[in-house]
Structure formats: C-alpha cells, structure tokens
Amino acid sequence: MAEDIIRFRDDEPHEEPAVSLDAFLDQSNATAVRVEAGEDARRLIPFLDRLALIEVDFPRFRDGRGYSSARILREAGYKGELRASGDVLVDQMLFMRRCGFDSFAPDAPIDPDVLDAALNRYPYVYQTAADAAVPVWKLRHG
Amino acid sequence: MYRYDHYDQAIVDARVDEFRDQTARRLAGQMTEDQFKPLRLKNGLYLQLHAYMLRIAIPYGTLNSRQLRMLGHIARTYDRGYGHFTTRQNIQYHWIKLQDAPDILAELATVEMHAIQTSGESIRNISADQYAGAAADEICDPRPWAELIRQATTFHPEFSYLPRKFKIALIASPTDRAALRWHDLALRIVRNEAGEEGFEVFAGGGMGRTPFIAYPIRAFCPADQIFSYIQAVLRVWNSHARRDNIHKQRMKILVHDLGHEEFTRQVEEAFAHILTLGTDFPRAEYERIAAYFAPPPFETGLPDEIDRADPDFALWVDRQTAPHKAPGYAIVNISLKRVGGIGGDITAEQMEAVADLAERYSFDDIRVTHGQNLVLPHVRKQDLYAVWQALDAAGLADVNLDLVTDIIACPGLDYCSLANARSIPIAQKIAQRFADIDRQLELGELKIKISGCINACGHHHAGHIGILGVDRKGTENYQLLLGGSGAEDTSLGKITGPGFDEDGIVDAVEKTTDVYLRERQDGERFLDTYRRIGVEPFKEAIYG
C-alpha cells in the first residue's frame, strides 16, 4: 500500500493506520485520523498538534468537500501530512496541492509524467491558497 | 475595457494547453467519459442532441470589435455560420466537433477570450448590467469589481468541484437589468452612510425545478472584503450541501433548508475567519483594473436633438435607445428577436456588421444583454440615423425591446438533450401572432419567457408571461405562468392551470393580453394590472 502513495514531503511516511473521526474523538491518543466526506474537519482543530497524518477521503472525484476540509485544517495551522485518498485523479491533483494536500493515496495508479505536466502547467495563479504560490496581484504590485 | 497583461495571457494559454492534453487523453482512451465530462464542461463543452455545444465566456457581457469578429470567424469556420447569445451574456455554438475544441480555444486566446467555467459545477462567468459605464442611474461602473471577482474566482482551488453550478450577478443601479436576485449570489453596489462603496448581498436565488428569489444576507459588505465574503458563502455551501441528489445541490436548497438566518450566521462565522487570512485583493489591484474602465473621451457640446423626420427611424429611436449619462449620447439596443427568427441567434456577417459599428460609433464597445440582445453603449445622438441605417441593412433594426415579441426562449428540444418540449417554434408562433408593431406598442412592456423543461433556462418563472414545456404522456404540453419578473420588482410567476398544446398556448397568451387591454388603468404595464387584479380574471378568459 505504502508504495502506491505519492508524497510531497521529506519526512518518513507515517505508519500508524488512520482511525475514524469518531474513534479519534472517543480515544484521542491516535496520531492518524481519517475524515470522510461530509464530516466536519473543524472538530479536529483542538487536536492538530498531536496528529501526524490526516487522511481526507474522496468517495467520488466530483465530490469537492475534501478541498474545504484541507483548507480548514491548513488554515488552523496543521503542519503534518495531509493525504487525499480514494477517487483521486490526475486532473484534480493541482487544486488538491493548492489546498494543502501533500500526499495522495489514489484508488488507481497515476501516470507520473502526466502528473508532472499537470502540476507544472500553470505559470501563475490568481489567488492565495494553502501552497506557496504567489498570486498574480502580488506580482503586479510587488 | 479590461486588457490582459502577460499574466492573464499566460494563464489562458496554459488552459488551452491543458485542455488540448485532456482531449488527447480522452480520444486515446486514457480517460473515461465520466472522468472527462467535468473537465470538458469547465471548458464550456456540452454534449447535446446532435453535436457538442461550446459556450464561450463574455465576462460581464462586454466585448470589443476584435473579439466579436473572432466570434464571427468561429461561427463560419467551426460551426454553421451563426452563434447564439445566452441569458447569461455568453455565446454558444451548437454544431461543434470535439476534436476542434482545443483549436477554437487557442483562437479565442488570441483575442483575450476563453470558455473557462462556462459550464459544470463551478463558479460561472459573472454577469452584470449591460448598461455599465453608460447608464444614467448607476452609482459607479460595476465592471472593475466584476473583473476583480472574475480573476479571484478563476481556477479557485477550493471551489472548482462544487455541489452544483454557482452564478454571480453584479449591478450598480437601482434598476435591475441583470435578473439579479435569480442568481446564487447577487451583488449590488451601494454606498453606506459614510459614502463608501460596498456590496449589498443576496444569496440562494435560482430558477430550475425549485425556484427561489435570493434572500438579503448582508446590507453592506465593504468593497475591499468582497472576495473574503464570497469565499465564506462558498465554503459554507461546499461543506454542507447535499451530494446525494443533483436536484437538491444548488445553494438555494441549502439556504432554504437551513433557513436564511442560520445560513447567514454560518457565513458570518466563516467570513470573520477568512478575513484574517489576507486573501483579499489590495486596493491597488482594484485601481489597476478600474483604470481600464475609465470613461471613454466623450465629446462635449454635442446636440441632444434628433432629426425624427423619418417615421421608421423615429419609431426605432423611441423603442431601442436609452438615456446615457453623457449629454449628446444615447445607448443603442440591437434586437436579436426578429419575428420568425430564433431569439439570440446572430450570423457571422451580422457580428461583423455590429463590430464595424462599434468601432466607428461606440468607442469599440459592445455589450450582450441577459435578454439576448446586443447594445452599443456610447453612440452620439447625431450618429443614430447612420447607425440605424447600417443596422437595417444588416437585418438588425427590429423594433421590439421589452415588447411581446422580445421573447426569451431556451434552445429546447430542437437542440437540448434535457428538454421535454420545443421552445423555439412556440416563440416563433407567438411572435407571428403579435407581429404587428402597432399592436406590440399598444401592449407595451410585456416579457414572455419560455423554457422547454423544468430546468428553466428560458426563465419562465421570471416572465410576465411564462411558458413551461412539459412532456405529457409522450406529447408536448405547455403550461402558462403569470406574474413573474426578473427586474428590481423580482417575483415568481404562478401556473394558471392545466396546460395546452402548441396552438392552444398561443391562443392562451392572446386571451391573457386581451384581459390586460380590457382591465388596465392609466399607465399600467401588463405586470401592474396582473398584480392589481390577480389571476382570476385571466383564468376565466383562458379556461372559462
């Protein structure tokens, strides 16, 4: 399983299996948690400093709730691994990266060349997001 | 108007490259149709009954002549010589081949145009008042804010896989020419007591099978915070909307289910948080954009008199022109609603004729209206006769703005795979029945809107007279609605009773207008009379 994970982090992959959000909130010594689509990521905010891995599930690639979950977690200061799992496809991964995902566990393999092209295609972005990209308005005004 | 700098151009060029790659992967079988569909929709490409339809964005309905000529070129090269302007100020072509789409997008990019987010579950092209920058009653030109919001919402990483489509409209006048409160998010620029500009915000409007008029959720959002506010609205909806039933996923359903007070409370909570993130564009960026929309160099000392010696010209002037903020100028409305034609359709040659006129007489500025007509916003009154003659030669001098033959109709079963009934032939039959211009003027302002299914692309809920085509046991059947409005007096039309067949609905419309002519009091429009006397006298005439 671990070899199918695409990571954009330098640290070692976290080995502990992720527990469900409810299980985590019940017995909160776990360090990895899985957030399903429709679950409120804000419930994790009090515990972010003890988490090493948050997995956000995409049941269908068109279900975009996970993008907001990722933004909410990064905006709250979460620095650990943020993994998108499930129906994760190459054409959505640029936006996932911009929302703060730095690891991917796709159901089906991703062609690395297509991914590389997709992540590097756009030279500029219009908005600030969870990544380091500088928005065009800032480039325009220095 | 706004011009791309090298940043805007690089982003649009990358989009063409991306879609070319995606289309090639689809054609090579490396992607399923299910996976490809949302990608092509975000580039405006629908699969319809006979071919692909490509919808091209016309941001806030503003075009220059070079762009309009390009739209003519696309019509001639890739389609059947014509295009169709839509109720959201875009243009669409109905006979497109998938393999041509990347080339079309590449051609559009050369004139600073694209098809980004014109379809699919995304933040759609923002629409605005077609008289922006010209209207005598506006408090400012809304287009700089529209352009800022366009950039802020283009490829927004969090909000590109939304529960459903999301439509924004923006105006800056008390008069609503943009069907404001029928949008998911409706923004009206206002001034507060301190004289500062900001936005009055309405949310949760929409037509479709469950129509709602947008609720007021904020009386005043400071202008520089509007992007934070929009993101707050989107985050609440994206996080909490249903995802199990496509018919229940528009934001209007969430606003209704939560109640607009609770929805507003959640938006305010998210807004307070997002404001702290520093995502709003700085004032300097607004000013950079606004400089592109500086008023054109209007001449002063121009005469206001118009030579009305030619009665056909005088008729056209009275109906098709509107007051301009600059003395000596007028706003010209070009009808795309010729009786017997298809509303909103325009040929490549007509596009070129309008482009020529805009270049010569209107500071190179053309607008598309939500009523599917065109506007030359800045014409010297002394040039009106020459403009009228040229429009007449191009088959574009019809007189019917806001009259009974100025009908909005969706493409319907003639093109659309969702439709249950034809719309265009019904519009044509009604227009032919009322073709006599004296009769149209006698009836005055009367907006008929026709949809071929409950998705309501023809805005039947907002028609003074609305018509909804349904499928009744395998035959087309048309329901009649009365009393809707898409203007500042927004209201939802009500179904009168059992539906009609194709000829029956035309008769029912005529009987409806007969009741109006009989019952109206001084100065009343059809809608005013309907509101005063109610539906019963109309039902008696139609069904009695």
Side-chain angles (χ1 to χ4, degrees), chain B residues 67-79:
Chain B
Q67 292 173 324
L68 188 53
R69 287 196 188 97
M70 173 58 80
L71 296 177
H73 164 74
I74 288 167
R76 197 178 280 124
T77 310
Y78 301 101
D79 203 276

Side-chain angles (χ1 to χ4, degrees), chain A residues 21 25 35-44 69 72, chain B residues 239-240:
Chain A
L21 180 62
L25 295 170
V35 179
E36 306 289 341
E39 290 184 330
D40 190 345
R42 290 176 298 184
R43 297 173 72 195
L44 286 174
S69 298
I72 286 165
Chain B
S239 300
H240 301 305

Side-chain angles (χ1 to χ4, degrees), chain B residues 265-282:
Chain B
R265 190 194 65 74
Q266 294 192 19
V267 168
E268 289 294 327
E269 188 181 308
F271 179 50
H273 164 66
I274 291 172
L275 264 184
T276 65
L277 304 174
T279 58
D280 282 299
F281 287 29

Side-chain angles (χ1 to χ4, degrees), chain B residues 260-528:
Chain B
H260 69 275
E261 296 90 351
E262 171 60 16
F263 178 82
T264 305
R265 190 194 65 74
Q266 294 192 19
V267 168
E268 289 294 327
E269 188 181 308
F271 179 50
H273 164 66
I274 291 172
L275 264 184
T276 65
L277 304 174
T279 58
D280 282 299
F281 287 29
R283 182 47 60 160
E285 177 62 358
Y286 169 79
E287 283 164 0
R288 184 192 72 88
I289 293 170
Y292 288 103
F293 295 97
F298 294 122
E299 292 172 45
T300 54
L302 290 174
D304 261 321
E305 295 74 40
I306 298 169
D307 180 353
R308 302 168 54 89
D310 182 332
D312 290 335
F313 170 65
L315 188 68
W316 177 84
V317 166
D318 288 342
R319 195 73 221 166
Q320 299 296 125
T321 69
H324 196 286
K325 62 165 72 165
Y329 285 83
I331 299 169
V332 168
N333 286 279
I334 301 171
S335 172
L336 300 181
K337 305 292 177 62
R338 175 149 288 192
V339 172
I342 297 176
D345 272 18
I346 181 169
T347 66
E349 293 72 26
Q350 288 175 323
M351 291 188 223
E352 283 154 3
V354 174
D356 289 346
L357 288 172
E359 204 167 32
R360 185 161 175 198
Y361 296 111
S362 184
F363 296 103
D364 202 25
D365 197 342
I366 304 127
R367 310 292 174 80
V368 184
T369 80
H370 108 269
Q372 300 178 284
N373 294 307
L374 295 177
V375 166
L376 297 175
H378 312 294
V379 178
R380 294 189 304 185
K381 288 180 179 172
Q382 64 191 33
D383 293 332
L384 284 173
Y385 193 72
V387 168
W388 173 72
Q389 285 182 309
L391 287 173
D392 194 36
L396 291 169
D398 295 70
V399 174
N400 59 4
L401 183 68
D402 295 338
L403 298 179
V404 62
T405 63
D406 187 6
I407 298 170
I408 290 179
C410 72
L413 201 51
D414 293 298
Y415 292 98
C416 180
S417 52
L418 300 173
N420 299 122
R422 292 164 304 141
S423 304
I424 294 166
I426 306 303
Q428 289 171 332
K429 283 193 171 184
I430 293 170
Q432 277 152 359
R433 179 76 62 94
F434 290 94
D436 177 56
I437 185 60
D438 293 330
R439 189 177 185 193
Q440 292 188 56
L441 290 168
E442 172 70 13
L443 285 169
E445 182 185 302
L446 178 48
K447 298 183 182 183
I448 298 184
K449 306 189 187 210
I450 307 172
S451 303
C453 78
I454 52 174
N455 290 310
C457 298
H459 292 195
H460 64 274
H461 298 298
H464 298 175
I465 297 177
I467 295 170
L468 168 63
V470 296
D471 176 283
R472 206 170 119 240
K473 295 174 188 159
T475 56
E476 293 163 299
N477 188 267
Y478 295 92
Q479 295 179 339
L480 183 71
L481 296 86
L482 299 178
S485 170
E488 60 278 7
D489 57 354
T490 315
S491 59
L492 173 62
K494 290 196 175 62
I495 293 176
T496 54
F500 305 88
D501 66 12
E502 187 173 337
D503 291 321
I505 190 69
V506 182
D507 292 338
V509 168
E510 189 166 37
K511 287 174 185 166
T512 300
T513 62
D514 289 343
V515 173
Y516 161 64
L517 291 175
R518 188 186 76 216
E519 298 289 336
R520 71 175 167 188
Q521 295 178 354
D522 287 349
E524 276 186 341
R525 303 170 302 161
F526 171 83
L527 187 60
D528 303 322

Side-chain angles (χ1 to χ4, degrees), chain B residues 8 45-46 68 115 153 193 199 203 226 305 375 391 398 430 437 456 458 466 483 487 508 538 543:
Chain B
D8 299 305
L45 206 59
Y46 271 86
L68 188 53
T153 57
E193 285 172 2
F199 294 87
I226 191 63
E305 295 74 40
V375 166
L391 287 173
D398 295 70
I430 293 170
I437 185 60
F538 294 96
Y543 299 106

Side-chain angles (χ1 to χ4, degrees), chain B residues 131-352:
Chain B
Y131 290 174
D137 64 348
E138 73 182 8
I139 69 164
C140 68
D141 186 336
R143 291 174 302 164
W145 286 110
E147 173 60 24
L148 188 147
I149 295 168
R150 182 193 75 81
Q151 294 186 22
T153 57
T154 295
F155 306 141
H156 194 294
E158 185 179 346
F159 305 124
S160 288
Y161 290 87
L162 292 166
R164 282 289 275 127
K165 58 188 168 187
F166 189 79
K167 298 176 180 176
I168 304 174
L170 168 60
I171 66 174
S173 293
T175 308
D176 178 7
R177 287 170 283 261
L180 192 69
R181 290 177 69 189
W182 289 105
H183 288 75
D184 294 281
L185 190 70
L187 304 172
R188 194 163 75 88
I189 297 176
V190 292
R191 286 213 176 90
N192 66 7
E193 285 172 2
E196 298 157 335
E197 278 174 17
F199 294 87
E200 183 182 15
V201 185
F202 305 84
M207 300 200 202
R209 65 188 66 204
T210 323
F212 285 108
I213 294 167
Y215 293 97
I217 62 167
R218 203 170 223 267
F220 188 84
C221 174
D224 291 328
Q225 299 176 357
I226 191 63
F227 183 38
S228 283
Y229 197 83
I230 292 171
Q231 291 180 99
V233 168
L234 284 163
R235 182 171 285 180
V236 169
W237 174 50
N238 190 45
S239 300
H240 301 305
R242 290 175 60 169
R243 298 269 180 171
D244 61 334
N245 179 342
I246 193 171
H247 303 306
K248 304 283 187 191
Q249 292 174 198
R250 284 285 292 273
M251 196 171 80
K252 62 190 177 181
I253 303 292
L254 181 69
V255 174
H256 180 74
D257 287 352
L258 286 178
H260 69 275
E261 296 90 351
E262 171 60 16
F263 178 82
T264 305
R265 190 194 65 74
Q266 294 192 19
V267 168
E268 289 294 327
E269 188 181 308
F271 179 50
H273 164 66
I274 291 172
L275 264 184
T276 65
L277 304 174
T279 58
D280 282 299
F281 287 29
R283 182 47 60 160
E285 177 62 358
Y286 169 79
E287 283 164 0
R288 184 192 72 88
I289 293 170
Y292 288 103
F293 295 97
F298 294 122
E299 292 172 45
T300 54
L302 290 174
D304 261 321
E305 295 74 40
I306 298 169
D307 180 353
R308 302 168 54 89
D310 182 332
D312 290 335
F313 170 65
L315 188 68
W316 177 84
V317 166
D318 288 342
R319 195 73 221 166
Q320 299 296 125
T321 69
H324 196 286
K325 62 165 72 165
Y329 285 83
I331 299 169
V332 168
N333 286 279
I334 301 171
S335 172
L336 300 181
K337 305 292 177 62
R338 175 149 288 192
V339 172
I342 297 176
D345 272 18
I346 181 169
T347 66
E349 293 72 26
Q350 288 175 323
M351 291 188 223
E352 283 154 3

